[in-house]
Amino acid sequence: MSSWRDSLTSIPGTVAQLINESASNLLHVSSSLGSTVGLGGSGSTGSGSEGGGSEESGPQSAEYRALPIPASLVREQWRLIFTSDANIQDLQAAIAHCRDLVLLSEELSEERRWLVRHLVDLRYSLQELEEAQEQHSLSSDMVVMNAIRAVVGHHFVPHHPHHGKRNRLQAAAKRNYCDHCTTIIWSVVQNSYVCSDCGFLVHQKCIDGVKRVCAHVLVSERQHPISEICPEIGLASQGYKCAECGTMLNIKNTWVEPRLCDYSGLYYCPRCNWNDSNFIPARIIHNWDFSPRRVSRTALQEIRLFLNKPLIRLEEDNPKLFVFVEKLCAVKKLRQNLVHMRHYLAACKIASELKLVDQQLGVRRHLAQSNEFYSLNDLSQVESGALTDFLQCVFKAFNDHIRSCPMCLAQAYICEICSNNEVIFPFDDGCIKCDQCNSIFHRVCHTRKNMICPKCIRIQERRLQLDRMKSTEDDDDGVATDDDVTPAK
């Protein structure tokens, strides 16, 4: 009986010893694996027994993953890509050499594109190393969480979802998922990073495995949204692989569902395409279709980056939309009036002191600079009617100032056809502007004169009179020179 009791009491100690041995073996294996992986596939960095193998010690090595290097730059690889033991002098020399190669490469070439990306990542790695040396006196956890990680164009910074007392309950109720492994990020016990450019959210342990190029890099290179509607190329052209991570999309071993992205026309695996829904820019431009379609994660991030950028020339891409969509015609007319108003406000000292344009438009100054460019957010608000209401409020504020300001009233016009004392402006509904001399007339008066501008007629007659005077002066000079010349004897 006593031996049975002794065996029961020894169970907790045996279990604890077994757990400690397993944990030590696992840490030893993970540290040896992490130390043998070089930066950008450039070799080993040392034995794994020298450093710790915990999750928090991973970012301390300041590892850098480069994009696939072009074949023409392989001979320069030893001067551009370094391992984790690189110092500040090595990175500064690599930055200088990479800058020289950028200047020597051809424009719009794959080599220059790779070099520019690599130069940005090298500078972020240098900044990370300098910050780590400055904060060497702090604890290792602070160095890890304050570092900027540059991976495949991403610039990862620490993610703090519970920052702020007011939004703490909302942040705790919201679930965040890792964009790499698609699992939940438990912010209470797990550190996470987010890309400051595209919003890519990832576990701290998953940073080194990220393969998706930053959407901000793609947007800066493409400069415009894809203008074709779902340019699908087929699974065979993709080699039956995911367009992002390269996972096989076939039924040989296990079935992986291929998911089509309606924005790029490429097929992705379920880890890279979460069946997110969003409107497609090409369908809006060509068909005025705002129905949500399924897109991949990288396409969703790219569309969000394009959302507030006025890059779409809608009247050039599809001018027939202004014939069939009445809301667009109303917005176009309002924007034309705001363009005329902006010239008055730019010359008005009182409006400049009040900062009237900044107060009313804010970051959407493109709405009053021209009526050509639209952003995706503008087009969606045209469909909902929010943009029309916004422009009408801006128009009312500008109109009230111009009609009450003495400096703006001094630049008003009077219709010289009817000789009415009423002041008129180019943004009035019953007025029309001459394209040649910029004079303003009542539309009814201008129509009564068969759309002939009297000021343009006067300018033309004055030019003809000056031409006649020049011709007569030239003739008189020619006669005088002939009389002065004497015949030679």
Side-chain angles (χ1 to χ4, degrees):
M1 188 69 178
S2 60
S3 61
W4 180 70
R5 289 180 179 177
D6 295 339
S7 61
L8 287 177
T9 56
S10 63
I11 287 177
T14 307
V15 171
Q17 182 179 2
L18 180 62
I19 292 174
N20 291 331
E21 291 177 357
S22 301
S24 61
N25 293 332
L26 181 59
L27 289 176
H28 178 73
V29 171
S30 62
S31 62
S32 62
L33 288 175
S35 61
T36 55
V37 178
L39 297 181
S42 58
S44 61
T45 60
S47 64
S49 59
E50 295 180 359
S54 62
E55 280 187 2
E56 296 181 354
S57 63
Q60 267 186 313
S61 62
E63 290 186 357
Y64 167 81
R65 290 184 66 253
L67 296 169
I69 187 170
S72 59
L73 297 175
V74 173
R75 64 178 182 275
E76 304 288 344
Q77 182 176 1
W78 66 278
R79 298 181 64 181
L80 296 175
I81 300 177
F82 294 94
T83 57
S84 59
D85 57 351
N87 53 25
I88 294 179
Q89 290 76 15
D90 295 337
L91 291 176
Q92 290 177 347
I95 291 173
H97 184 61
C98 188
R99 191 188 306 116
D100 296 337
L101 292 177
V102 169
L103 298 176
L104 294 175
S105 61
E106 297 181 0
E107 294 185 359
L108 302 178
S109 61
E110 291 294 333
E111 289 78 9
R112 172 166 288 192
R113 181 178 301 177
W114 185 90
L115 288 169
V116 170
R117 291 181 180 178
H118 189 68
L119 180 60
V120 174
D121 291 341
L122 282 176
R123 286 174 175 172
Y124 269 91
S125 299
L126 178 62
Q127 180 182 357
E128 176 186 354
L129 190 58
E130 290 175 349
E131 290 179 356
Q133 289 188 356
E134 291 177 359
Q135 300 177 354
H136 183 69
S137 58
L138 301 177
S139 62
S140 60
D141 292 340
M142 292 297 294
V143 173
V144 168
M145 294 306 296
N146 290 332
I148 299 177
R149 304 294 307 277
V151 180
V152 201
H154 296 279
H155 301 134
F156 288 111
V157 295
H159 180 234
H160 304 290
H162 300 290
H163 184 71
K165 295 182 179 179
R166 294 183 179 180
N167 298 329
R168 188 170 296 176
L169 294 177
Q170 297 179 359
K174 181 181 178 181
R175 288 188 177 183
N176 295 318
Y177 293 87
C178 176
D179 279 303
H180 177 67
C181 65
T182 69
T183 57
I184 299 177
I185 297 178
W186 302 102
S187 56
V188 179
V189 295
Q190 290 179 322
N191 294 329
S192 60
Y193 281 74
V194 62
C195 178
S196 59
D197 297 328
C198 66
F200 190 97
L201 188 61
V202 66
H203 288 109
Q204 177 183 341
K205 61 181 181 181
C206 298
I207 287 183
D208 295 328
V210 174
K211 297 181 180 180
R212 184 191 308 169
V213 179
C214 181
H216 186 269
V217 176
L218 300 177
V219 167
S220 61
E221 292 177 354
R222 187 171 289 151
Q223 296 184 353
H224 290 86
I226 296 177
S227 58
E228 299 179 7
I229 297 177
C230 191
E232 183 180 357
I233 60 176
L235 272 174
S237 300
Q238 295 182 209
Y240 296 95
K241 294 181 180 180
C242 175
E244 182 176 315
C245 64
T247 303
M248 295 299 297
L249 304 176
N250 52 25
I251 56 175
K252 289 184 178 180
N253 298 324
T254 56
W255 168 248
V256 179
E257 177 191 1
R259 295 180 178 178
L260 176 65
C261 174
D262 196 83
Y263 174 72
S264 62
L266 300 176
Y267 285 90
Y268 296 85
C269 65
R271 292 181 61 181
C272 303
N273 189 339
W274 297 1
N275 283 333
D276 296 304
S277 297
N278 202 80
F279 58 78
I280 307 300
R283 294 185 181 274
I284 296 175
I285 296 172
H286 296 289
N287 299 333
W288 199 247
D289 182 11
F290 289 88
S291 58
R293 311 279 176 154
R294 292 183 177 180
V295 295
S296 62
R297 294 294 296 174
T298 181
L300 183 64
Q301 294 171 356
E302 186 175 338
I303 293 174
R304 286 175 178 174
L305 291 176
F306 275 125
L307 190 62
N308 294 315
K309 294 186 177 182
L311 301 172
I312 302 173
R313 292 193 173 189
L314 193 61
E315 201 163 2
E316 290 185 5
D317 297 336
N318 193 0
K320 293 184 179 180
L321 279 178
F322 292 88
V323 179
F324 296 100
V325 182
E326 296 180 358
K327 298 177 181 178
L328 274 176
C329 296
V331 169
K332 180 181 177 181
K333 178 62 178 175
L334 284 171
R335 291 188 65 179
Q336 288 176 349
N337 293 336
L338 292 180
V339 170
H340 294 313
M341 289 179 167
R342 187 179 61 85
H343 296 299
Y344 286 89
L345 298 177
C348 180
K349 183 179 179 181
I350 300 175
S352 300
E353 292 177 354
L354 296 175
K355 296 182 179 180
L356 186 61
V357 178
D358 293 336
Q359 289 180 1
Q360 296 297 325
L361 293 175
V363 297
R364 308 178 73 177
R365 296 176 64 94
H366 65 278
L367 295 173
Q369 290 177 350
S370 68
N371 59 346
E372 298 179 0
F373 295 95
Y374 292 84
S375 66
L376 294 175
N377 189 25
D378 295 337
L379 296 179
S380 64
Q381 289 188 2
V382 169
E383 176 65 15
S384 63
L387 184 60
T388 305
D389 298 337
F390 173 74
L391 293 179
Q392 286 177 350
C393 294
V394 176
F395 176 83
K396 185 179 182 302
F398 288 176
N399 187 48
D400 293 342
H401 171 80
I402 292 174
R403 296 190 183 277
S404 61
C405 176
M407 297 184 66
C408 296
L409 284 175
Q411 304 180 42
Y413 290 83
I414 295 177
C415 179
E416 61 176 289
I417 297 177
C418 64
S419 299
N420 194 345
N421 293 329
E422 179 189 4
V423 293
I424 56 177
F425 293 93
F427 48 83
D428 290 338
D429 292 334
C431 299
I432 189 172
K433 181 179 180 181
C434 179
D435 296 332
Q436 301 296 328
C437 63
N438 296 328
S439 297
I440 310 299
F441 307 97
H442 291 115
R443 188 179 299 274
V444 178
C445 301
H446 199 56
T447 306
R448 193 187 311 140
K449 286 288 185 179
N450 296 326
M451 308 299 291
I452 298 175
C453 176
K455 185 176 179 180
C456 292
I457 294 176
R458 291 198 305 270
I459 293 174
Q460 187 176 2
E461 291 178 353
R462 193 178 298 117
R463 287 176 180 174
L464 291 175
Q465 186 178 0
L466 291 175
D467 292 339
R468 290 195 204 99
M469 292 176 62
K470 281 186 178 181
S471 61
T472 55
E473 289 178 358
D474 293 339
D475 293 340
D476 294 340
D477 293 340
V479 173
T481 53
D482 292 340
D483 293 339
D484 294 338
V485 175
T486 57
K489 296 181 179 179

